[in-house]
Amino acid sequence: SLLAAGGRHSEVVVFRTQDGSRAATLKGFSGSVHSLAFHPKNGQLAVAGFDGQVHIFDAATGKEASRFVPVPLTPRVAGR
């Protein structure tokens, strides 16, 4: 099992819960990280930062699979 932690230092550290060792250090963010979410089955980790980008990583290896900027939620997009 893995645990991820991120914050103001523009990186995310992934730890192995069995022994607390580092599995990976994820970099490539131009600002602070504010959200992390593991996919329940495929081992991917989504990381969102205050720079507006979402990064998808293989949590065990630290390899970035993709990166994108989501569409902003404007009143028209949100259905308001």
Side-chain angles (χ1 to χ4, degrees):
S1 295
L2 300 172
L3 170 75
R8 296 182 311 197
H9 303 293
S10 301
E11 68 180 27
V12 173
V13 180
V14 181
F15 298 95
R16 293 178 191 88
T17 58
Q18 302 90 312
D19 60 7
S21 64
R22 260 182 210 224
T25 300
L26 314 178
K27 297 185 180 196
F29 312 103
S30 59
S32 298
V33 171
H34 68 77
S35 299
L36 304 165
F38 280 100
H39 189 282
K41 295 185 180 180
N42 71 8
Q44 288 187 321
L45 175 65
V47 179
F50 282 104
D51 62 358
Q53 296 187 54
V54 176
H55 303 253
I56 308 296
F57 289 92
D58 179 305
T61 67
K63 183 178 178 187
E64 186 172 18
S66 64
R67 176 187 308 198
F68 62 94
V69 177
V71 176
L73 279 181
T74 63
R76 183 171 275 150
V77 173
R80 296 183 187 157

